[in-house]
């Protein structure tokens, strides 16, 4: 059993590691017209491609900043929030009435939810000697950097598995299919003692397309830059949302939009490896009776003509075998 001295030494080591992170220079990322500064050590410890971009022979390392044209601002801000906190706030659901008013999805913020744009000025147009240790709390609260470490593309951290399935969702699906989908052990999202819980939809007028797409975009970003832990977290966060989501016929378009994005921006999954396509195939198996009635899904299958159509046919064959 560890002594109090050993515990104190472990705490001291952790604090030293965090102080090293804050002592590292901030690196500038340009996302559109917005400049965002992030501690170098936070980035390099989780992503080999980004480490090469910052410390290697690439033009970004020489010029001291990187322009990322393949990611939108909200996705990158969620990435930065995860770097400092170990979790990220999803987009908020949008009321259809708000859609008619051309209100941006992330402008509708639930009570108690962090607005990712709030306090962004503290990260914008700063100089290289700017203290992110002071600026970051303005956006992300008290900063608790997550030290992941990595070896190749695999990342290590002590994992606690959640043995409790979701229980808040009213069970309207067939019990075996739905319970099979809901029951899963989370590897990443329950590392925190109280991870943010997804909000179930309560009316037919709620648009969840940006909620779903926010997780999917973060997954695609993490996949490109080999951030395996964030990839897994994005899968788990999307699953947690789908597990408490009631699919009304008015909401099938949100799922179709998610399918369109995922199948256009991800590669075919490898056997035995879970990815977004695997998760969505499992979800389609549960909700196919409702989804197949949406003409937009039928049109998308014809447009795709490949992986999506093949996965839908597998689901149909499995359901009606």
């Amino acid at each position: 059993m560890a002594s109090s001295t050993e515990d104190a030494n472990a705490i001291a080591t952790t604090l030293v590691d965090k102080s090293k992170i804050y002592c590292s220079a901030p690196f500038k990322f340009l996302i559109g017209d917005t400049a965002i500064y992030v501690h170098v050590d936070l980035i390099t410890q989780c992503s080999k491609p980004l480490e090469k971009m910052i410390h290697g022979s690439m033009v970004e390392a020489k010029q001291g900043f990187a322009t990322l044209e393949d990611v939108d601002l909200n996705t990158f801000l969620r990435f930065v929030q995860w770097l400092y906190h170990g979790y990220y706030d999803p987009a908020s659901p949008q009321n259809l009435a708000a859609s008619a008013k051309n209100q941006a999805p992330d402008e509708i913020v639930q009570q108690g939810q962090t607005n990712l744009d709030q306090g962004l000025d503290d990260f914008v147009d700063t100089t290289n000697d700017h203290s992110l240790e002071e600026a970051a709390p303005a956006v992300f609260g008290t900063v608790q950097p997550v030290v992941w470490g990595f070896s190749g593309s695999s990342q290590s951290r002590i994992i606690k598995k959640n043995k409790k399935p979701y229980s808040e969702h009213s069970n309207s699906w067939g019990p075996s299919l739905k319970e099979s989908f809901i029951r899963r052990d989370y590897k990443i999202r329950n590392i925190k003692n109280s991870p943010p819980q997804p909000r179930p939809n309560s009316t037919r007028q709620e648009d969840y397309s940006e909620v779903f797409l926010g997780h999917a975009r973060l997954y695609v970003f993490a996949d490109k830059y080999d951030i395996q832990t964030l990839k897994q977290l994005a899968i788990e966060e999307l699953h947690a949302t789908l597990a408490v989501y009631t699919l009304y016929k008015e909401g099938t378009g949100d799922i179709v939009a998610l399918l369109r994005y995922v199948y256009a921006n991800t590669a075919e999954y490898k056997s035995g490896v879970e990815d977004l396509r695997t998760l969505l195939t499992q979800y389609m198996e549960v909700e196919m009776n409702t989804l197949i009635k949406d003409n937009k899904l039928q049109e998308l299958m014809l447009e795709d003509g490949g992986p999506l159509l093949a996965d839908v046919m597998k689901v149909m064959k499995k359901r009606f075998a």
Side-chain angles (χ1 to χ4, degrees):
M1 186 174 182
S3 66
S4 57
T5 301
E6 291 173 335
D7 291 338
N9 289 336
I11 294 172
T13 300
T14 301
L15 292 175
V16 169
D17 290 339
K18 290 183 178 181
S19 68
K20 289 180 180 178
I21 288 173
Y22 291 131
C23 289
S24 64
F27 189 81
K28 182 170 75 171
F29 290 92
L30 288 177
I31 313 298
D33 296 329
T34 303
I36 300 176
Y37 293 80
V38 188
H39 285 101
V40 166
D41 284 359
L42 273 178
I43 301 167
T44 59
Q45 70 180 355
C46 73
S47 170
K48 280 291 188 183
L50 289 177
E51 181 187 33
K52 291 179 181 178
M53 183 182 293
I54 294 171
H55 291 314
S57 58
M58 299 174 68
V59 63
E60 289 86 356
K62 297 176 181 178
Q63 66 189 11
F65 68 90
T67 300
L68 301 184
E69 298 178 350
D70 56 352
V71 61
D72 64 277
L73 180 59
N74 281 320
T75 298
F76 192 78
L77 285 174
R78 290 186 176 100
F79 163 60
V80 175
Q81 184 184 21
W82 169 78
L83 281 176
Y84 282 93
H85 261 335
Y87 70 90
Y88 62 89
D89 288 316
S92 300
Q94 188 178 16
N95 291 326
L96 294 180
S99 300
K101 299 177 183 178
N102 296 319
Q103 199 165 2
D106 281 347
E107 289 177 359
I108 304 174
V109 181
Q110 304 171 35
Q111 184 176 4
Q113 177 180 330
T114 300
N115 184 343
L116 289 173
D117 291 328
Q118 185 178 5
L120 181 59
D121 290 343
D122 291 307
F123 281 84
V124 178
D125 294 332
T126 54
T127 58
N128 283 342
D129 60 354
H130 181 73
S131 172
L132 288 182
E133 188 171 5
E134 297 176 359
V139 179
F140 305 123
T142 303
V143 179
Q144 299 174 338
V146 181
V147 181
W148 296 107
F150 58 80
S151 175
S153 63
S154 62
Q155 304 186 21
S156 59
R157 188 172 182 181
I158 297 175
I159 301 298
K160 291 183 179 179
K161 289 188 175 181
N162 175 32
K163 296 298 183 181
K164 297 180 180 179
Y166 265 88
S167 59
E168 308 111 1
H169 194 80
S170 58
N171 194 346
S172 56
W173 289 328
S176 59
L177 277 177
K178 179 175 180 179
E179 289 174 7
S180 175
F181 179 80
I182 291 176
R183 293 178 183 273
R184 79 175 280 153
D185 292 333
Y186 291 129
K187 298 178 180 178
I188 305 298
R189 80 181 306 269
N190 285 337
I191 287 176
K192 292 187 70 67
N193 291 330
S194 300
Q197 297 301 314
R199 183 177 76 80
N201 58 324
S202 56
T203 70
R204 297 173 183 268
Q205 285 70 43
E206 290 180 290
D207 182 348
Y208 266 63
S209 58
E210 282 300 317
V211 180
F212 300 145
L213 288 170
H215 297 305
R217 291 180 188 123
L218 195 58
Y219 173 94
V220 170
F221 173 83
D223 183 52
K224 176 171 183 176
Y225 292 103
D226 194 20
I227 311 172
Q228 297 300 315
T229 303
L230 184 56
K231 271 184 65 177
Q232 183 63 34
L233 178 61
I235 289 176
E236 293 179 4
E237 291 295 341
L238 179 57
H239 174 272
T241 303
L242 291 172
V244 298
Y245 179 73
T246 299
L247 181 60
Y248 299 105
K249 64 179 182 180
E250 292 84 354
T252 55
D254 298 350
I255 301 298
V256 173
L258 175 63
L259 290 168
R260 181 185 298 277
Y261 177 82
V262 169
Y263 278 81
N265 291 279
T266 63
E268 293 188 48
Y269 57 83
K270 299 177 182 178
S271 178
V273 178
E274 183 186 39
D275 62 3
L276 278 190
R277 292 191 184 189
T278 310
L279 175 64
L280 292 182
T281 300
Q282 294 167 351
Y283 182 75
M284 284 193 293
E285 185 177 356
V286 173
E287 292 287 18
M288 185 54 72
N289 287 345
T290 302
L291 288 170
I292 201 62
K293 298 174 184 176
D294 192 325
N295 291 333
K296 291 181 179 178
L297 176 60
Q298 299 174 31
E299 293 170 4
L300 180 57
M301 285 189 293
L302 293 176
E303 290 174 20
D304 175 79
L308 175 59
L309 180 60
D311 286 345
V312 171
M313 294 306 295
K314 289 177 185 176
V315 168
M316 299 294 285
K317 181 178 180 181
K318 202 172 179 182
R319 281 184 61 93
F320 297 109

